[in-house]
Amino acid sequence: MKKNKNRLLIFILLLTTILLVYFYFSKKTSDRVAVQLPLLNQGEGSYFYLKADIEGMEIPLLVDTGSNMGISLQTGVLDNIENLKEIGTRQYTDIKGNRYSSPKYLIDYIEIGDLELRDVVAHVKDPYFILHGSRIYDTDQAKKAAQLEITNKVGAIGTKILRAHDYWCLDFANNKMYCLRDFNDSVRELDFDTSEFIEVNFENVNSLISISIETDYGTHAFILDTGSCVSIIQPNLIPDLYRKKAVKSYDFIIGSSNLGPQILKIYDIPPELCCDGVLGVDFLKTRALLINFKDKKIYIGPSKKELKNH
């Protein structure tokens, strides 16, 4: 009888300890207003990826603010997800004007670090899009990178997921990314000096972030696109275009600040994207960016500024 009581006491103490540890770490996570996400970098700042857990599979997701979709996954990943429900199709257009019709699925649960996503809509990432449609130049290096993307089963996360959480920090300069639960409190927690940031209003264009930028070639609408490694401008905006593949705009005025000079690749952007240019990772990788979807504002940090983070 005494042995049974001792065993019961040990069991109660063990259960109490487990519950205390669980609630401690749950509270610790919930108390944070800035949740840092596991960000990966590839190719000296060319692209940035989040590390997602889907039913035990570790899947890299390209952070792609140039996509208005939720999650895109390769067929090889979707085939291994048990809790999957097909819910229709999705049409989209790539940077080259190619059109796709892709099956859509509902995934019960995806985990990205401490960020939990439930009832996630995902579509199939078309192999042709990876190999040809997602890159403006079909160089040997681009083809090798595309093949590596297929091998590593890389997916993407777009603005549909980002907009479900109002506030974000993309600190690519320091290889960090945060989901912010409260904008002002998060800025204080991260110890950002926002007096050095440029505040800019943005427009929702096809659920993408569009900002006005004054260049040497006039003031134009640029889409913020972390899925593009280069910044782009439409060819019809460039005088004396003959044989030019890129231009340097010494004026690159965002808000009231000139952030030029900026190299802009010349490329014919499809009309479906409703923009004059693309602001890519070549510009963003040296800066921190705060996104406030609720008030439609972005805050652009100074170039190569070592921001103080926890």
Side-chain angles (χ1 to χ4, degrees):
M1 185 73 174
K2 187 176 180 180
K3 286 183 178 180
N4 289 337
K5 285 184 178 179
N6 288 339
R7 287 174 182 171
L8 181 60
L9 182 60
I10 291 170
F11 174 75
I12 292 171
L13 287 172
L14 182 61
L15 182 61
T16 303
T17 302
I18 292 171
L19 289 172
L20 286 172
V21 170
Y22 172 78
F23 284 116
Y24 170 76
F25 283 104
S26 295
K27 187 176 188 303
K28 189 176 179 183
T29 300
S30 62
D31 282 350
R32 292 199 311 252
V33 292
V35 179
Q36 185 172 350
L37 304 178
L39 190 68
L40 308 171
N41 173 238
Q42 177 182 324
E44 298 181 353
S46 294
Y47 294 106
F48 292 85
Y49 303 86
L50 289 172
K51 204 164 43 170
D53 184 284
I54 307 174
E55 293 187 357
M57 295 183 290
E58 191 174 283
I59 306 299
L61 299 178
L62 172 68
V63 181
D64 189 2
T65 59
S67 167
N68 59 10
M69 290 183 273
I71 299 286
S72 62
L73 297 170
Q74 295 186 41
T75 304
V77 175
L78 289 162
D79 287 345
N80 288 292
I81 299 175
E82 291 184 7
N83 298 309
L84 195 68
K85 180 182 178 183
E86 188 167 352
I87 56 173
T89 58
R90 172 67 189 263
Q91 284 72 41
Y92 61 99
T93 304
D94 65 29
I95 190 68
K96 294 181 176 179
N98 300 310
R99 291 178 171 83
Y100 305 84
S101 181
S102 171
K104 287 194 306 183
Y105 297 91
L106 190 65
I107 301 174
D108 286 349
Y109 181 80
I110 294 178
E111 195 172 51
I112 304 175
D114 289 332
L115 182 64
E116 299 175 354
L117 306 175
R118 295 188 180 275
D119 297 326
V120 179
V121 175
H123 76 277
V124 176
K125 196 171 188 180
D126 194 290
Y128 187 88
F129 171 79
I130 299 172
L131 291 170
H132 305 285
S134 61
R135 289 166 172 81
I136 61 174
Y137 301 121
D138 288 324
T139 62
D140 289 340
Q141 184 180 359
K143 291 175 183 177
K144 185 178 178 180
Q147 194 58 57
L148 192 63
E149 187 174 326
I150 290 176
T151 302
N152 293 335
K153 299 180 179 178
V154 175
I157 181 169
T159 57
K160 185 172 183 179
I161 295 293
L162 300 183
R163 286 178 181 278
H165 304 267
D166 289 329
Y167 314 117
W168 293 85
C169 171
L170 311 182
D171 187 3
F172 290 162
N174 292 304
N175 205 33
K176 295 178 181 178
M177 182 169 173
Y178 300 88
C179 179
L180 312 179
R181 293 176 176 168
D182 178 274
F183 189 78
N184 293 325
D185 287 346
S186 295
V187 169
R188 284 192 291 270
E189 182 177 298
L190 295 173
D191 203 14
F192 284 168
D193 181 6
T194 52
S195 66
E196 299 182 12
F197 282 59
I198 303 163
E199 180 181 328
V200 186
N201 295 318
F202 70 80
E203 298 293 330
N204 290 320
V205 177
N206 294 331
S207 296
L208 302 178
I209 297 171
S210 175
I211 63 173
S212 180
I213 302 178
E214 184 181 339
T215 72
D216 292 351
Y217 312 100
T219 301
H220 301 292
F222 281 73
I223 294 294
L224 189 73
D225 187 358
T226 58
S228 174
C229 62
V230 296
S231 296
I232 302 169
I233 193 168
Q234 288 276 26
N236 64 332
L237 303 176
I238 309 300
D240 303 322
L241 184 61
Y242 184 64
R243 291 189 176 178
K244 287 182 181 177
K245 293 184 178 179
V247 292
K248 180 184 286 187
S249 181
Y250 289 91
D251 277 347
F252 206 68
I253 301 171
I254 303 177
S256 57
S257 299
N258 191 352
L259 304 181
Q262 175 66 37
I263 300 294
L264 299 170
K265 300 289 186 181
I266 300 170
Y267 193 80
D268 193 6
I269 303 170
E272 292 90 342
L273 299 185
C274 302
C275 66
D276 302 315
V278 167
L279 194 59
V281 175
D282 57 337
F283 175 86
L284 298 166
K285 68 183 179 182
T286 61
R287 307 173 187 275
L289 183 73
L290 299 171
I291 305 176
N292 181 340
F293 281 112
K294 187 176 181 179
D295 298 322
K296 295 202 294 186
K297 293 179 182 293
I298 61 172
Y299 301 80
I300 302 172
S303 179
K304 296 182 180 178
K305 179 70 176 178
E306 286 297 323
L307 298 168
K308 297 182 291 180
N309 296 144
H310 295 291

